[in-house]
Structures are given as C-alpha cells and as structure tokens.
Amino acid sequence: MDNIQFYIKEHKSRFINELIELLKIPSISADPTYKNEVLKTASAIEESLKKAGCDKVEICETEGYPIVYGEKIIDDKLPTVLVYGHYDVQPADPINLWHSPPFDPIIKKTETHPEGAIFARGACDDKGQMYMHVKALEFMTTSNQLPCNVKFMIEGEEEVGSRNLGVFVKNNREKLKNDVILISDTGMIANTTPSITTGLRGLSYVEVEVTGPNRDLHSGLYGGAVANPINILTKMIASLHDEHNRITIPGFYDKVETLSKEERAEMAKAPFNLENYKNALDIEAVYGEAGYSTNERNSIRPTLDVNGIWGGYTGEGAKTVIASKAYAKISMRLVPNQDWEEISDQFKTHFENSAPHGVKVKVTPHHGGQGYVTPMDSVGYKAASKAYEATFGKTPIPQRSGGSIPIVALFEKELNSKTILMGFGLDSDAIHSPNEHFGVFNFLKGIETIPYFYKYFVELSK
Amino acid sequence: MDNIQFYIKEHKSRFINELIELLKIPSISADPTYKNEVLKTASAIEESLKKAGCDKVEICETEGYPIVYGEKIIDDKLPTVLVYGHYDVQPADPINLWHSPPFDPIIKKTETHPEGAIFARGACDDKGQMYMHVKALEFMTTSNQLPCNVKFMIEGEEEVGSRNLGVFVKNNREKLKNDVILISDTGMIANTTPSITTGLRGLSYVEVEVTGPNRDLHSGLYGGAVANPINILTKMIASLHDEHNRITIPGFYDKVETLSKEERAEMAKAPFNLENYKNALDIEAVYGEAGYSTNERNSIRPTLDVNGIWGGYTGEGAKTVIASKAYAKISMRLVPNQDWEEISDQFKTHFENSAPHGVKVKVTPHHGGQGYVTPMDSVGYKAASKAYEATFGKTPIPQRSGGSIPIVALFEKELNSKTILMGFGLDSDAIHSPNEHFGVFNFLKGIETIPYFYKYFVELSK
C-alpha cells in the first residue's frame, strides 16, 4: 500500500471533520422522534460513498429505515468484499451524565487516548468505525490501488435489531454476492495489543409487563392484600438466576457449546488484569456464574440481564401507591448453538408460568439473533491477521466477544460467505454509555489497516 | 341541629362550586414545580376560614409549606374541637390514565355515586373532606348553633410526611389546646353502611439506591461478568418476603400486636364479599400473608410494598445496557406497637447487609409515623357514633383502616387528646390513583353530620 501513511497525514483533519459532521446528526433509530435525522444520515452516507469513488450508490427503501448500498466493480473475475456497517446510534440517555452534549462532538485527550478521542454518541458504534471503510475506499480509488470489487451495505436499524435487513438480504442475494464480508463494529484489546473478534454472542431481547389490579391503588388501603406488580416482578426476575448465578429457565443450557480444558486454557492466556478491571469500573468485586472466569463469563457463557425496569411512582418525594403495572426489558446473550428463537420461547413459557395468581403477565420478544464463530483458517481471517501485522507490527490475538451482531449468522446463511470482524474500538470507549468516544489513533489506524486487508485477501484468494 | 338539611339544600351549588375552585389549584407538595400553587392554596384556605366565621386566621410559616390556623373561641369554659386536615394533594401521574384533567374538576354520575361525584386530584383526599368542616362551621356560625370552641389546623405537607407539622405542634401546645381532634381523611364502608375508623397503620417510607459499575455498560461486553444493579435490586427486594409472604427483616414482627381469636372473629363480621372485591380490581386472586384474611392483611398486619422502581433504559425500543444504578421507593405499613423509627433502622441494616459484593447500597428514610387506635369508649367516639346515627339512621361500624395518618400518634403525645376519624370517602374513590373522585352525596352528608358531632360532644362532655 504505497503512500497510505502519507495520504492519511495529508487528509487527517478533513477525515476527522467529515466524521464530526456525521456525528452531529442524532440518528437514534429506537426513538421515532428522530425519524428525520435518521433519514438525513442515510443521505449523508449516500453522498460520502459517491465521493469516495463508488460507481453506483442507492438508498434502498425498507419497511423501516433505508439501507444505503454502494458498489465499485472493477472486474467481475476479481474477488468482491462486502462492507457492512450501520449509521444509526443508541439513544443518548441518561443525558445528564454526558460531560459534553452527545451530538456536539468534541476532541479530548484521555489517559487511554493521548492523541485525543472524539466524544459523541456513535463515535465508535458505529459511525466512526463504518466511516474508516469509506475513507479507506477513498484512498484506494484516489491512488488507484483498489485490488478488487467492493460493495457497501450500511443500514439504519442495527440498534433496534436490524428488523428489515434480513428481508433485504434475502431479496438481494445476487446484488450482494461477495467473497468475504468485512465489519468494523467490535473492539480490540488495546492500542498496543491488536485483536480480531472470532466469536459473537447471540441475543434474545424481550419486554415483560406484569399487571395486577386494574388501577393504581392506595398502598395503605390495599397494601398486603393484593399482589403488588412491582414486588411480583422483582420476585420473578430474581428467580431467573439460582444461587450459583446460573439461569433457571428450563432447557436454557441444553445446547450451550462446552469448551475443552485446552480451549479454556488457551483463552486464559489473553492479557487480563482483574484489579485494573475492577478499578476501571469502581467495583469491589466481580460477579457472575460460579466456576468461570470474568473473560469466560462475558464471552463463552450465556447471560441474562435486566436492561431497564420501571413501575409506580418514580418522581421526587414519596407516593404511597401500588402500581397497576410494572415493566422490564430483559436481554439474554447466547453462545454458539443456542437458537435465539427457541430461547425466546423458553423464556416466555417459563416467565409466564412463574407468575402467581393475582397478576397477568405479558412477554413481548423484541428482537434477537444467533451467535457466530469466524474460522481462523479462512482466507478472510488470514488476510485480516496479516493486515494488522502490517500496520501494528504485531500478530493480532483472536478473541471471543461478548457482544452480538445478530445479522452475521444470517449473512452466512443467505450469502454463503464468512464475516471478518476487524474492530478498532476499545472496551473503554463507552459505547451504549454516556461519553462514548473513539480514539483519533484508532480511527486513523483503521483507515490505514483496511486497504492491507484488501491487498492480502486478493493475494491469498489466488 | 335546626334547619341543617334546609341550609344545605339552599347552598348546595355554592358549596360544590367553592370546592371546585379549590380543586383547580394543583397543590402537589411532592413536586417543587408546584410551589406557588401550594402557597396559593394556603391563601384560599385562609380566606375560606375567615368567611366561615373564624375570628382569627393565620398563615403560620414553617420550614416547608405553611400551616393555616383558624379559631373561633366563644367561651373558654366550653370544650374545644381541633379540626385537622390538609390542603396539599398527591401527584397526578400517571396522567394519561385520567379520563378528565386532574385539575379541571368535573361532576359525573357513577354506579356508586348516582347523585354524581366530583372528579379531581384531591377531591376526596383531602380537600373535599377538609372543606366539609369549613362549610359545617359556616352553618353553625350563620345559624348561631356553634355549641363550643373550634380550632382549625390545615397543613400543606401531609402527602410528603408532614415534615414540619410535628415541630409546629410542639411549639404551639397552648394555642392548639383542645378536648378532641376531629379528622376527615379516611373512608367509610359504603354510603348505606357508615363506619368510623378506629385504627390506623403506621408507616415507614424509604428510598433505596443500588450502585454497580461507575457508568452504564454495554450488556454484551460486560453482561454476566459484573453485578447488574437492577438484577441485584430485584433479588434484594424479592428476598424481603418469604414463601409465606411474611417479611424477612429480622425483628420486624417482634412488637406486632397479636389479636385474640375473639377479636378476629368480631372483625370477620364486617361486610365483605371477596368476589366483588376481586371483580372491582379485575384480579383473579388475592395475595398476601399466609394465615390471614384480606381484611386482616390490610388492617391488623404489617406490610411491605414497593411503590416505585426504576433503572436502566425505559424508553421505546431496546437498549442493551447495564445500568450503573437502580432505585426503588419502598413503604412499610405498621401496626400498633411497631415503632416506625426502629423499623426504618431494621430495614436499613438488613437491606444494606443483604447486598452482595460488587454493588454499593444506600438506604434513605423518607418519612414515617406511628400507628394509632381510637378507644371506642371515649367521649369523642360516642359523639361521632351518635352523629352518624342522626344523619344516616344507622349505628356506624368501627373499623381498622390499612392507611396511615402518621401525625395522629404525635397529636396524642403532644396535645394529650384523642383523635376521632370521621371519614366520608369510599374505598372506590381512587385516592392516590388516576380519576380520584368524591361523591356529592358524601360531601353534603359530611357537612350535615359534622355539626351533630359538635352537639353530642358538648352534651356528652358535661
């Protein structure tokens, strides 16, 4: 890759400013209030792909937010890389915990990012990481070094479960035909320790509603005599874990992949310092399934977490009320072989059956997806590994992630190709949290590394 | 009481309109946003007491909202009745469940109230019931039938635990000197079944906060590896009741008054239809402490209810987050002999100790108060009973209430006099709930009954 470092140095400020403009648009797909902003972001992506050198760019309508598709086909006989990313972002709340407005990006230096990091919702997840691919393409087209065909598929509903992407993929198998899928929507261990994500967890996300009396009641007059939906909900949620922090849903662990002692020993070699981990989170102790290490708990083991709970009076002061309804949002991270639809069904059946008389329970599955494992002997993995070596000077460590990109399993099924997860974010980048950020180093290193992937992928495919 | 029925018939529309004007002011003491409205309500009460014939009316400042004091002293040698009530109201949320705006009162007929009921926040609790006393005084002064001295003490912080009333009472023992305290802030069994509340439960209201990691985390990357404050909070709350729905806080039941078989048999005679009760609330089954009936559970037994819970993402759609903090508001209703401060301490100690490593727990007591029992052989009780007989044609049934008016125990301690709870509301009036209302029949019947209490109290005191 001739001149890539020089090109980045030359255009660095423009790259960052373009990303900042993109981050200013609050493309929150979960909240209908932001509909116009999400659509505006799709148009901005369309424009940027054209400028980067795509021959054909389309805004593809779906039943939800559109998918931006772009391509540059240089030779039908050459391999094709399909880049997937998303232009929507997580909601920004709790907004009061942001040190600067989430959609007014600023660059600040941090201990982890001495060269500065861009603070904004979506900086890392996924606008910043997705935009690295746009700028890498710009370099390759501008310098005439694009070694193969490239296709972009950038969606706007990843944060709400990619509701319409599946249909789009099924209906456009020919258009999306490719030899490898490239995604930057994960992280790496550290800026000096590159890693490639080789496994993703699946996801089942449900919302539950517990209804007691048909109206809010005075807790003095009715307290102790009727089932209080909040008390019942806490009891039902608490019973989802046993004393070893194992999930109690019948059948939940039936298909969980069991790793061998050797595999676990191999995993345990990844650099990890428990004290640093606890200090970074300001917690006295870690917590989780008995018999597993922290790194195992958040990668090879399935989990169940409440993501939100609400009911009754939550304002200032005191209100002596028994609420009519209580709610929770609950998600389960799944490991390979667990089927998310089966798990959602198991949850629904178990949760509904665990309700006492006196309340009604409704379980609404939100969305989900299967887990995924990238084979390390695939051409794509090897190409990615060599690309990191070229720019970081180190062989990246293969790593299972606790996160989920539900659509990856579907890609393999429908498009019959492997996905390579080249993530450049760090765990400390606070994605999904207040003060999300993305290191300037990481952004630029991503732009530098991606063209090498193209180069090696074409070479190794021969 | 000459001409009371005639007087009410004559002035009925005016009485209702005056109450409606009072109900239009959103005097929500729990929410600082409404400060000016609360103060405006105090002035309106001051004005109404002057018009009703009080000789001296004062707005007494406190560290919180003021107490409106009024008196008409006709003869130092005659007995003195002290009327207590409150002009503040509960918050109106959930606002979307109101069929008409909470502070835009309307009169509608209902099955229980064929003569119409006034729908508004505070209609029954306590503006409507408090205003009956103002109008009863108006009748007695206008018709020259006031048989004794009367004092009014109307506060604006009852719904937030009467924070400053205790200090006021302690500092004004001479001014507040009385022979009996009269309160209408409870209910009766039915419009055809008058009853007098002879017992109130005590109250301990606390807020709890569980803190896990120092920021919201991505549930994929951290799920299963750190203590999730919401999951932990549900576990901690769930563990506050055992499988018999008994409260597990050590020492909680130590001082609970045990009723004899005979007393429980007497209580069981009160009219109660379980099917109607369940149908009215649209529940399939009642729920509560094993070994007790519904009426016992909500009167002679202590309880623990979550009044509000919140944490994490509660907006539309899905957010895969582990919240840094989770909160709940929890209240305990206490029975005679349980000391609310001791119980609050027991709760705090137990709750804090039940937290696992990996989270921090903070318990903040909000407010509380002792339970109370009115002796049925007191002059006040007898006078009230005769008053109901005079206007309803039936002897009222003595009844223990599940609710709390924490200040009643303090009145006895500081002012050394008994409190008589002449409530005219109904359980179905939805106090503290959306669509609170107060029957026009009940409002007028209260105004009619109160002067008889004065008459009999003076006669029986001789």
Side-chain angles (χ1 to χ4, degrees):
Chain A
M1 281 299 134
D2 298 344
N3 295 323
I4 174 82
Q5 287 186 326
F6 177 77
Y7 189 85
I8 289 171
K9 205 172 168 191
E10 197 79 342
H11 298 278
K12 181 179 153 170
S13 303
R14 177 172 58 82
F15 289 174
I16 292 170
N17 287 336
E18 286 174 13
L19 175 57
I20 282 176
E21 287 309 307
L22 206 55
L23 292 169
K24 284 184 183 169
I25 324 175
S27 50
I28 303 168
S29 50
D31 186 342
T33 319
Y34 295 93
K35 188 178 173 187
N36 286 336
E37 314 297 317
V38 181
L39 296 175
K40 205 174 142 188
T41 312
S43 301
I45 301 300
E46 179 191 23
E47 204 50 44
S48 71
L49 284 175
K50 281 182 189 163
K51 281 191 188 156
C54 280
D55 295 329
K56 193 172 104 182
V57 185
E58 301 168 342
I59 299 244
C60 306
E61 296 302 333
T62 71
E63 285 193 14
Y65 288 119
I67 290 157
V68 187
Y69 175 80
E71 63 176 37
K72 185 165 181 76
I73 307 297
I74 56 170
D75 184 342
D76 279 352
K77 289 181 214 87
L78 287 169
T80 300
V81 174
L82 174 65
V83 175
Y84 162 83
H86 63 95
Y87 62 83
D88 64 323
V89 300
Q90 278 280 311
D93 51 357
I95 202 97
N96 59 318
L97 295 183
W98 285 78
H99 301 139
S100 59
F103 298 104
D104 197 357
I106 59 161
I107 297 178
K108 274 193 305 191
K109 288 180 184 176
T110 71
E111 213 175 308
T112 319
H113 297 291
E115 297 176 50
I118 305 162
F119 281 77
R121 169 57 83 231
C124 179
D125 178 17
D126 180 46
K127 284 175 176 167
Q129 296 217 69
M130 176 266 292
Y131 205 64
M132 299 180 315
H133 291 268
V134 181
K135 294 297 101 178
L137 175 67
E138 176 193 307
F139 164 73
M140 292 186 284
T141 55
T142 308
S143 64
N144 217 9
Q145 294 186 73
L146 181 66
C148 62
N149 306 310
V150 58
K151 294 175 178 175
F152 277 79
M153 173 170 64
I154 311 298
E155 70 151 325
E157 298 186 311
E158 199 271 346
E159 300 294 3
V160 289
S162 301
R163 283 192 274 249
N164 296 289
L165 186 66
V167 175
F168 178 77
V169 170
K170 278 179 203 167
N171 292 343
N172 292 279
R173 285 202 193 88
E174 193 50 39
K175 176 189 236 164
L176 299 172
K177 214 178 148 193
N178 66 78
D179 298 282
V180 71
I181 297 166
L182 191 55
I183 304 181
S184 296
D185 196 16
T186 50
M188 56 180 192
I189 293 172
N191 284 356
T192 51
T193 314
S195 59
I196 295 175
T197 300
T198 53
L200 290 167
R201 289 199 281 192
L203 178 72
S204 164
Y205 199 113
V206 299
E207 187 159 327
V208 302
E209 177 192 287
V210 175
T211 305
N214 52 7
R215 58 191 164 91
D216 287 2
L217 299 175
H218 186 292
S219 71
L221 303 183
Y222 291 91
V226 299
N228 176 329
I230 304 180
N231 285 72
I232 298 296
L233 178 62
T234 63
K235 227 183 174 69
M236 291 173 70
I237 291 174
S239 78
L240 294 172
H241 286 95
D242 69 12
E243 68 276 27
H244 306 296
N245 284 315
R246 279 175 67 89
I247 295 153
T248 57
I249 300 165
F252 186 84
Y253 289 99
D254 284 358
K255 297 189 178 167
V256 167
E257 178 198 46
T258 310
L259 269 70
S260 66
K261 268 189 188 168
E262 293 70 31
E263 285 173 300
R264 290 177 67 183
E266 194 57 34
M267 273 192 70
K269 288 181 186 163
F272 179 76
N273 181 309
L274 187 62
E275 283 312 306
N276 291 353
Y277 185 86
K278 291 192 291 183
N279 287 342
L281 300 173
D282 198 13
I283 53 177
E284 273 180 33
V286 292
Y287 187 90
E289 189 182 353
Y292 292 92
S293 72
T294 293
N295 274 342
E296 289 174 336
R297 285 169 177 168
N298 66 17
S299 64
I300 61 164
R301 298 299 298 169
T303 63
L304 183 150
D305 273 294
V306 183
N307 301 111
I309 193 166
W310 68 104
Y313 184 67
T314 59
E316 273 208 55
K319 189 171 193 287
T320 47
V321 70
I322 293 178
S324 169
K325 286 174 186 286
Y327 306 84
K329 292 178 197 270
I330 297 173
S331 67
M332 289 159 281
R333 298 284 168 171
L334 311 175
V335 295
N337 302 336
Q338 283 185 298
D339 179 80
W340 80 270
E341 289 181 291
E342 196 182 330
I343 293 288
S344 297
D345 286 346
Q346 285 173 352
F347 178 92
K348 191 176 161 72
T349 305
H350 174 69
F351 203 72
E352 287 175 351
N353 288 345
S354 72
H357 292 299
V359 299
K360 296 175 197 83
V361 173
K362 200 169 98 186
V363 175
T364 311
H366 258 300
H367 64 266
Q370 313 296 26
Y372 183 73
V373 173
T374 302
M376 285 174 61
D377 56 3
S378 61
V379 173
Y381 184 84
K382 288 179 189 161
S385 185
K386 278 171 76 81
Y388 280 90
E389 267 177 49
T391 57
F392 283 86
K394 283 185 185 175
T395 306
I397 296 173
Q399 201 193 24
R400 291 276 193 104
S401 163
S404 307
I405 312 179
I407 210 69
V408 170
L410 184 120
F411 289 164
E412 172 148 34
K413 189 177 156 212
E414 299 295 335
L415 303 176
N416 200 26
S417 52
K418 297 292 174 198
T419 291
I420 309 301
L421 299 159
M422 288 177 72
F424 293 88
L426 299 182
D427 268 11
S428 56
D429 285 348
I431 68 169
H432 290 215
S433 299
N435 306 307
E436 176 178 350
H437 54 281
F438 188 36
V440 169
F441 167 86
N442 305 65
F443 178 55
L444 300 177
K445 207 69 178 173
I447 299 172
E448 184 186 343
T449 307
I450 290 163
Y452 284 98
F453 172 81
Y454 282 73
K455 175 178 148 77
Y456 295 126
F457 185 72
V458 174
E459 287 179 12
L460 294 170
S461 295
K462 274 173 191 164
Chain B
M1 282 298 135
D2 297 344
N3 295 324
I4 174 80
Q5 288 187 326
F6 178 77
Y7 188 85
I8 289 172
K9 206 172 167 188
E10 198 77 344
H11 298 279
K12 179 179 155 172
S13 304
R14 176 172 60 82
F15 289 174
I16 292 170
N17 288 335
E18 286 174 12
L19 175 57
I20 282 177
E21 287 309 307
L22 207 55
L23 292 169
K24 284 184 184 170
I25 323 174
S27 50
I28 303 169
S29 50
D31 186 343
T33 319
Y34 294 93
K35 188 178 173 187
N36 286 336
E37 313 298 317
V38 182
L39 296 174
K40 204 174 141 189
T41 313
S43 301
I45 301 298
E46 177 191 24
E47 205 49 42
S48 72
L49 284 174
K50 283 181 186 163
K51 280 192 189 155
C54 280
D55 294 329
K56 191 173 108 184
V57 185
E58 303 167 341
I59 299 244
C60 306
E61 295 304 331
T62 72
E63 285 193 13
Y65 287 118
I67 290 157
V68 187
Y69 175 81
E71 62 175 37
K72 184 165 181 77
I73 307 297
I74 56 172
D75 184 343
D76 279 351
K77 288 181 212 88
L78 284 169
T80 300
V81 175
L82 173 65
V83 175
Y84 163 82
H86 63 95
Y87 63 84
D88 63 324
V89 300
Q90 278 279 312
D93 53 356
I95 202 97
N96 60 318
L97 295 182
W98 284 78
H99 301 138
S100 60
F103 298 104
D104 195 358
I106 59 162
I107 297 177
K108 274 194 304 191
K109 288 181 184 175
T110 72
E111 212 174 308
T112 320
H113 296 294
E115 295 176 51
I118 305 162
F119 282 77
R121 169 57 82 230
C124 178
D125 178 18
D126 181 46
K127 284 175 176 168
Q129 296 216 69
M130 175 267 292
Y131 206 64
M132 298 180 315
H133 290 269
V134 181
K135 294 297 100 176
L137 175 67
E138 176 193 307
F139 164 73
M140 291 186 285
T141 56
T142 309
S143 64
N144 217 9
Q145 293 185 77
L146 181 67
C148 61
N149 307 311
V150 59
K151 295 175 179 176
F152 278 78
M153 173 171 64
I154 313 297
E155 71 151 323
E157 298 186 309
E158 199 271 346
E159 301 293 3
V160 290
S162 300
R163 284 191 274 248
N164 296 290
L165 187 66
V167 175
F168 178 79
V169 170
K170 278 179 202 165
N171 292 344
N172 291 279
R173 284 201 193 89
E174 194 51 39
K175 176 191 236 161
L176 299 172
K177 212 178 151 195
N178 66 77
D179 298 282
V180 71
I181 297 166
L182 191 54
I183 305 181
S184 296
D185 196 16
T186 49
M188 57 181 190
I189 294 173
N191 284 356
T192 51
T193 314
S195 59
I196 295 174
T197 301
T198 53
L200 291 168
R201 288 198 280 191
L203 178 72
S204 164
Y205 198 114
V206 299
E207 188 160 324
V208 301
E209 177 191 288
V210 176
T211 305
N214 53 6
R215 57 189 164 93
D216 287 2
L217 300 175
H218 186 293
S219 70
L221 303 182
Y222 292 91
V226 299
N228 176 328
I230 304 179
N231 284 74
I232 299 297
L233 178 62
T234 63
K235 229 182 172 71
M236 290 172 70
I237 291 174
S239 78
L240 294 172
H241 286 96
D242 69 13
E243 67 275 28
H244 306 296
N245 284 316
R246 278 175 68 90
I247 294 153
T248 56
I249 300 166
F252 186 84
Y253 289 99
D254 284 359
K255 296 187 178 168
V256 167
E257 175 198 49
T258 310
L259 269 70
S260 66
K261 268 190 191 170
E262 293 69 32
E263 285 173 296
R264 289 177 66 183
E266 194 58 35
M267 272 192 71
K269 287 181 185 162
F272 179 75
N273 181 309
L274 188 61
E275 285 312 307
N276 291 352
Y277 185 86
K278 291 193 289 183
N279 287 341
L281 299 174
D282 197 13
I283 52 176
E284 272 179 34
V286 292
Y287 187 91
E289 188 183 354
Y292 292 92
S293 72
T294 292
N295 273 341
E296 288 173 338
R297 286 168 176 168
N298 66 16
S299 64
I300 59 164
R301 298 300 296 170
T303 63
L304 183 150
D305 273 293
V306 183
N307 301 111
I309 193 166
W310 69 104
Y313 183 67
T314 60
E316 272 207 57
K319 189 171 193 287
T320 46
V321 69
I322 292 177
S324 168
K325 285 173 186 284
Y327 305 85
K329 291 177 196 270
I330 298 173
S331 67
M332 289 158 282
R333 298 284 168 170
L334 310 175
V335 295
N337 301 335
Q338 283 185 298
D339 178 80
W340 80 268
E341 289 181 292
E342 195 181 329
I343 293 288
S344 297
D345 286 346
Q346 285 174 350
F347 178 92
K348 191 175 161 72
T349 306
H350 174 67
F351 203 72
E352 288 174 351
N353 288 343
S354 73
H357 293 300
V359 299
K360 298 177 195 81
V361 173
K362 200 170 99 186
V363 174
T364 312
H366 257 300
H367 64 267
Q370 313 295 25
Y372 183 73
V373 174
T374 304
M376 285 175 59
D377 57 3
S378 62
V379 173
Y381 184 84
K382 287 179 190 163
S385 184
K386 279 172 75 84
Y388 280 90
E389 267 177 46
T391 57
F392 284 85
K394 284 184 184 176
T395 306
I397 296 173
Q399 201 192 25
R400 290 276 192 104
S401 164
S404 307
I405 310 178
I407 211 68
V408 170
L410 183 121
F411 288 163
E412 173 148 34
K413 189 175 157 214
E414 299 295 334
L415 303 176
N416 200 27
S417 53
K418 297 292 174 196
T419 291
I420 309 300
L421 299 158
M422 288 178 72
F424 292 90
L426 300 183
D427 268 10
S428 56
D429 285 348
I431 68 170
H432 291 213
S433 299
N435 305 307
E436 176 178 351
H437 55 281
F438 189 35
V440 168
F441 167 86
N442 304 65
F443 178 55
L444 301 177
K445 206 70 179 173
I447 300 171
E448 184 186 342
T449 307
I450 291 162
Y452 283 99
F453 172 82
Y454 282 74
K455 174 178 149 79
Y456 295 127
F457 185 73
V458 174
E459 286 178 13
L460 294 169
S461 296
K462 272 172 193 165

